[in-house]
Structures are given as structure tokens and as C-alpha cells.
């Protein structure tokens, strides 16, 4: 196995075990946007299926937001997942057209996120899955923490495991112990294809500004990520305390 991809699989396995993310008999809907994190997650979970003690099924799902009313070409992902024995479903939606063409939202990210979550929850239930796996990593968690602190004045970030009682779905994030560079290295090592976002707001969001801040902070303090993770876990912030430390 390629060295960097092996490391990514190891970090995911550690998170899955430490936070008790997956149980025997689970069927997991892996949300695949087409970007590096979500594509890497699908390949990682597929690899872990082959040697983890827990037995689970999975299906990769892409919500096509259809910006400008045009279907996005996901043929590269269809080929990749077929080669790796991963079931793949593309769900076409009108979310992009509704947000940018009909409503002409000037701050589209919040509404888009809500609509995408709702659509993903619906297709998860349609496919008979009880869990959703998302590709958020530690850098995303740190960015979310500071966005919540500076923009809303509250302490918190997303949780490694979240139970959605209304839908009876559990959301898991197996990459929470990995950093973005772990994903990037694995992606280049195995020549993983991605589908670039066609979103008009891509790269100019508040999230991107926070990403830049975290990257700059890590240059001046190489232990910034490790200290952040340690703080999350020690305080059990939003469920970050490890359940299984073995």
C-alpha cells in the first residue's frame, strides 16, 4: 500500500475506533462532493472494509447541485469507484439554480449548506443507510472553532459523531485525526481524480479566510494543530473526548 495513503487509513481507523464510529451491520452513506477530502474518504473506508474487525456496507453518494441548470460530469469518479468496487449514486438536484438563479443569494453558503444537508439526509434514508460519513478533517474542525468564536462569540466546533434524532441517522467524520496535508499527500500518491467545484462562491468565502489564518498560524507555531486537538479532547468539547483509548 502507498505510504501516505496507508497513513491516512491508519488515522481514520484510529478515529473510528477511538470514537466508536462504526458498528457491525452499519450501512454508511459516504457524502462525496468530488473534492479531495470526500473522494479520499470513500477510498479509505473501502480499504478499511478489507481488514477492520467491524463489518459494514457503504455507498458513495454525490449531490449534483447543477449550477446554471447544467449536469456536472462525474464520469472520472464513476470510473474510479467502479475500479475499487464502491457502489456510487449521483443525485441530481436544483439547489444551485434555486440559490443563484432564482433567489440570487448574496450570502449563499448558509442556505446552500442547509439544503444540501436536507437532500443528503433524504437520500441516505432512501438507500437504507443508518450513517453518513463526511470528509471533514482536523483543520476543518479548528477553522470551525475560530469561526464560531470570532463570528458568533461561542465556544464549539463540529462533533466527530453526531446523532440526528429527527432522521434517526448518525453522522460520522473518520478524518478528524488527520490534517489536510495528510489527505493531499495521499491524493497525489495514488493519483486520485477530483471534480472541481463549479460554485460561483468557491474560494471567496469566510471559510477560505479562516483556512488561510490556520495555515499562517501553523507556520509560526508548528504544534498549533496538536495543541488544538489536545484542548478539544481534554475538555471533551462537543464530543471530542475519546471513548475508546485502547
Amino acid at each position: 500500500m502507498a505510504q501516505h495513503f496507508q497513513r491516512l487509513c491508519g488515522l481514520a481507523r484510529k478515529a473510528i475506533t477511538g470514537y466508536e464510529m462504526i458498528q457491525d451491520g452499519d450501512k454508511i452513506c459516504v457524502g462525496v462532493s468530488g473534492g479531495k477530502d470526500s473522494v479520499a474518504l470513500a477510498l479509505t473506508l473501502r480499504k478499511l472494509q478489507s481488514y477492520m474487525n467491524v463489518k459494514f456496507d457503504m455507498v458513495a453518494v454525490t449531490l449534483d447541485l447543477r449550477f446554471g441548470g447544467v449536469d456536472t460530469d462525474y464520469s472520472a469518479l464513476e470510473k474510479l469507484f467502479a475500479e475499487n468496487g464502491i457502489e456510487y449514486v449521483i443525485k441530481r438536484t436544483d439547489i444551485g439554480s434555486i440559490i443563484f438563479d432564482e433567489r440570487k443569494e448574496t450570502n449563499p453558503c448558509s442556505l446552500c449548506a442547509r439544503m444540501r444537508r436536507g437532500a443528503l439526509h433524504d437520500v441516505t434514508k432512501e438507500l437504507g443507510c443508518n450513517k453518513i460519513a463526511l470528509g471533514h478533517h482536523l483543520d476543518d474542525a479548528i477553522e470551525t472553532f475560530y469561526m464560531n468564536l470570532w463570528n458568533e462569540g461561542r465556544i464549539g466546533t463540529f462533533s466527530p459523531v453526531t446523532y440526528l434524532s429527527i432522521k434517526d441517522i448518525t453522522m460520522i467524520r473518520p478524518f478528524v485525526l488527520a490534517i489536510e496535508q495528510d489527505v493531499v499527500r495521499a491524493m497525489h500518491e495514488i493519483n486520485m481524480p477530483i471534480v472541481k467545484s463549479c460554485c460561483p462562491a468557491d474560494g471567496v468565502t469566510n471559510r477560505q479566510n479562516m483556512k488561510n489564518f490556520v495555515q499562517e498560524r501553523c507556520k509560526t507555531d508548528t504544534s498549533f494543530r496538536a495543541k488544538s486537538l489536545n484542548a478539544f479532547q481534554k475538555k471533551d468539547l462537543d464530543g471530542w473526548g475519546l471513548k475508546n483509548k485502547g
Side-chain angles (χ1 to χ4, degrees):
M1 188 191 301
Q3 176 185 355
H4 295 300
F5 183 60
Q6 184 175 15
R7 170 175 168 77
L8 189 62
C9 290
L11 290 168
R13 183 179 186 178
K14 184 177 180 180
I16 289 169
T17 301
Y19 292 106
E20 299 176 349
M21 292 184 176
I22 301 176
Q23 285 75 43
D24 282 327
D26 283 343
K27 184 174 182 181
I28 302 172
C29 170
V30 186
V32 177
S33 66
K36 65 183 186 308
D37 302 331
S38 59
V39 175
L41 177 61
L43 294 175
T44 297
L45 288 178
R46 181 69 182 97
K47 188 64 181 180
L48 292 179
Q49 271 188 315
S50 66
Y51 64 83
M52 282 191 71
N53 292 330
V54 63
K55 302 301 180 184
F56 63 94
D57 294 322
M58 60 176 283
V59 53
V61 173
T62 293
L63 298 176
D64 182 8
L65 306 190
R66 301 183 67 250
F67 295 105
V70 178
D71 289 358
T72 306
D73 180 9
Y74 292 105
S75 57
L77 297 186
E78 289 179 297
K79 181 175 183 292
L80 173 71
F81 292 148
E83 290 173 346
N84 285 273
I86 299 172
E87 181 183 356
Y88 184 43
V89 174
I90 301 172
K91 184 77 169 180
R92 307 290 182 183
T93 77
D94 294 318
I95 293 175
S97 296
I98 291 171
I99 291 174
F100 290 100
D101 301 329
E102 295 179 20
R103 296 176 61 107
K104 302 186 187 302
E105 294 283 333
T106 55
N107 297 296
C109 297
S110 178
L111 176 60
C112 182
R114 289 198 303 272
M115 295 182 71
R116 283 187 288 111
R117 278 197 300 270
L120 185 58
H121 295 169
D122 289 343
V123 72
T124 296
K125 299 299 286 187
E126 290 171 11
L127 293 170
C129 299
N130 65 313
K131 290 184 177 174
I132 299 173
L134 300 178
H136 299 132
H137 44 63
L138 179 58
D139 285 3
D140 292 321
I142 296 171
E143 293 158 17
T144 300
F145 175 85
Y146 282 102
M147 287 174 68
N148 289 338
L149 178 63
W150 292 345
N151 297 341
E152 302 176 25
R154 66 182 179 89
I155 302 294
T157 186
F158 56 71
S159 303
V161 178
T162 305
Y163 177 63
L164 309 172
S165 57
I166 295 177
K167 290 288 187 177
D168 190 27
I169 295 171
T170 299
M171 188 176 296
I172 63 174
R173 294 176 166 95
F175 279 171
V176 289
L177 300 183
I179 65 173
E180 184 169 20
Q181 196 60 31
D182 291 319
V183 179
V184 171
R185 287 171 178 155
M187 176 189 71
H188 289 311
E189 187 175 55
I190 62 178
N191 195 27
M192 183 180 69
I194 62 172
V195 177
K196 182 171 173 53
S197 172
C198 298
C199 175
D202 188 42
V204 293
T205 62
N206 190 27
R207 169 70 65 174
Q208 184 61 48
N209 294 335
M210 194 56 61
K211 185 183 291 290
N212 296 338
F213 162 77
V214 170
Q215 290 174 348
E216 287 301 315
R217 189 72 184 88
C218 289
K219 290 178 182 178
T220 58
D221 181 0
T222 55
S223 62
F224 178 68
R225 292 184 179 94
K227 288 188 292 190
S228 298
L229 175 60
N230 183 59
F232 291 174
Q233 291 180 331
K234 273 193 170 182
K235 292 296 183 182
D236 193 18
L237 181 68
D238 293 322
W240 277 76
L242 290 170
K243 293 178 173 56
N244 183 351
K245 299 181 181 180

